[in-house]
Structure formats: C-alpha cells, structure tokens
Amino acid sequence: MTAEASTSNSHTPHRLRLAVVDMVGTTITDDGRTERAMSRALVEHGIEPGSSRYESMLGYARDTMGFSKLTVFNHLFDDAATAESANKVFEKAYDEMIDDGGVRAIPGAEDAILWMRESGMQICLATGFGRHTQNTVLESLGWMGLADLSLCPADAGRGRPYPDMILTAVLALDLDDVREVAVIGDTSSDMLSGVRSGASLIAGVLTGSHSEATLRAAGATAVVDSIKQLPLLVEKREARHL
C-alpha cells in the first residue's frame, strides 16, 4: 500500500454503530432534583446551608455534573467513609424524589433512541448515578428495555470524565472500532469522556447543565438544542459519508 493510500484510508469515515447517551439533562429532566439531593447530603454531613463552604461545594457539584457522584463526594470530603455516607444520603434522597413523579423524559428523547436503534445503532444509557438509582430511574420511566445496555461508573471502573464507560460499552457490544461510536450528553464531562474514548461524533445538547461554549471547549464536535434533533444530525453526517 502506498503512503498516499494509507493516509486516505486513515480518514475514511466510520458508520456509527453505537450511541452512548447520558441520562439526566440529556434524555431525562429532574427539575433540579439532583442538586437538591446533593444539598441534602451536604447538610446532613454538617455543612451549613448558605455558608461559603456550602456554596463552594454546591458550585463544585454543578461544575462536575455528569461525574460519578461518589467521585464528587470523595473530592468534597476528607475521608472515604464520609464520602460513602454522603453518597448514600444522596441516593436515598434522590430515590424519594423519583417517587414524587418529578423525573420525566425530555420531549423527543424516546423517539430519538428508537430511531437510532431502527437505523442500526446500538444504544448504551450511561450515568453518574449508582446502579440502584439508575435502575430506579429507568423503571420509573418504563425504559428498562429501551437500550441495549445501561452503565454506571461502578460497572466500568471509573465514571466521567474518564472514557471507561464508553470503552466498556464498546467491548460489551462487540464493536470493532471506537470511531463507530457517538457520545451524546449535556455536560463538559460527557464531551471530555467522548474525546478521550476516540468517538467520532461527540454531540452536546442544551437541555441540561452546560452552555454551548462550555460543551465546545470540552470537545463537542456538534451541539444541538435537544436530543430530539439527533436523528437529523446523524442523517446529515451519514449522508456526507456515503
């Protein structure tokens, strides 16, 4: 093979075969319940509401939306036992908030996922929550069979912004090449995990935590208003690559 042919092949586009899709802020909305559960965990572990420490901690939690919640608490507290305890309070509080019906699908999200599956893509729903909370959310929406795979940080070793969940999905679903992956999310950590994994489409949505500028700075190759616009984005990309 000539050097010219080799270079040409290295830029050959790859058809998308897997979408790794975030949950809160991307496919579902919880009207701020994640932050309220985080706040309860902080208060129950001695952080005074309204204090500078409380505001700083909550600010860090906002900035790191999409991270494993246990990872966030490990950063915020000095020891692993306190972090583990705070994470349990967070999960219990969030479970109670799910029961009140406040976690809902973002309009068009289910249709977009079904469209991707019908077009031949596999779907992995990924989250920064623990397994129990993720399953509770999926059950509350009737989404347990919607995706081919669901992953949380404990399933992969590390959560976002590391690429572990994406790479775990690639292995579990028998893909040949990480360039066959699309990553969709609403946070900078979603985008960064996509960049680190080698995914070829890293799409940010504006229904969640971070702005277009933040998403693009973290590596988004495209930004759309909502996941319901993803089928059109994918169609355009695939048409260019025919």
Side-chain angles (χ1 to χ4, degrees):
M1 182 182 292
T2 67
E4 182 179 352
S6 176
T7 301
S8 175
N9 285 345
S10 70
H11 293 287
T12 300
H14 288 74
R15 181 170 178 81
L16 296 173
R17 294 181 54 215
L18 168 65
V20 179
V21 188
D22 173 54
M23 291 178 63
V24 175
T26 303
T27 54
I28 65 173
T29 179
D30 67 3
D31 294 329
R33 283 166 172 77
T34 299
E35 185 167 319
R36 294 208 294 278
M38 184 71 66
S39 173
R40 188 184 301 181
L42 295 177
V43 171
E44 290 195 17
H45 286 79
I47 310 303
E48 183 69 27
S51 67
S52 59
R53 188 180 181 203
Y54 172 89
E55 294 301 335
S56 174
M57 285 180 154
L58 208 53
Y60 178 80
R62 290 188 195 108
D63 290 342
T64 55
M65 283 293 182
F67 279 43
S68 158
K69 297 301 177 259
L70 182 57
T71 297
V72 173
F73 286 121
N74 272 317
H75 175 88
L76 293 176
F77 292 104
D78 293 333
D79 66 283
T82 303
E84 182 70 37
S85 175
N87 190 60
K88 287 179 179 176
V89 171
F90 168 84
E91 291 187 341
K92 183 174 184 293
Y94 199 85
D95 284 354
E96 291 170 1
M97 294 175 187
I98 293 171
D99 290 339
D100 71 11
V103 175
R104 307 183 311 278
I106 285 174
E110 187 168 346
D111 287 342
I113 290 170
L114 291 172
W115 181 91
M116 286 186 281
R117 292 194 71 174
E118 289 166 5
S119 72
M121 296 171 67
Q122 298 183 90
I123 305 295
C124 172
L125 288 172
T127 185
F129 290 145
R131 167 54 56 195
H132 171 75
T133 303
Q134 183 179 33
N135 283 348
T136 302
V137 170
L138 292 173
E139 287 170 0
S140 74
L141 295 169
W143 279 13
M144 286 302 284
L146 183 62
D148 299 277
L149 182 67
S150 64
L151 290 175
C152 67
D155 298 325
R158 297 176 297 182
R160 309 174 189 114
Y162 299 103
D164 300 29
M165 287 195 289
I166 300 167
L167 299 177
T168 297
V170 167
L171 292 170
L173 297 172
D174 294 324
L175 264 69
D176 298 325
D177 195 323
V178 291
R179 290 170 292 183
E180 298 168 342
V181 178
V183 173
I184 301 100
D186 68 300
T187 68
S188 59
S189 62
D190 293 308
M191 304 299 98
L192 186 53
S193 67
V195 171
R196 289 172 168 177
S197 75
S200 64
L201 174 62
I202 306 164
V205 298
L206 299 177
T207 48
S209 296
H210 292 160
S211 67
E212 179 172 359
T214 299
L215 295 170
R216 289 196 181 278
T221 59
V223 176
V224 292
D225 289 337
S226 165
I227 192 172
K228 68 183 178 183
Q229 296 171 308
L230 199 69
L232 181 59
L233 179 67
V234 171
E235 277 188 336
K236 287 180 176 179
R237 179 191 182 275
E238 302 292 270
R240 287 198 304 270
H241 295 161
L242 289 176

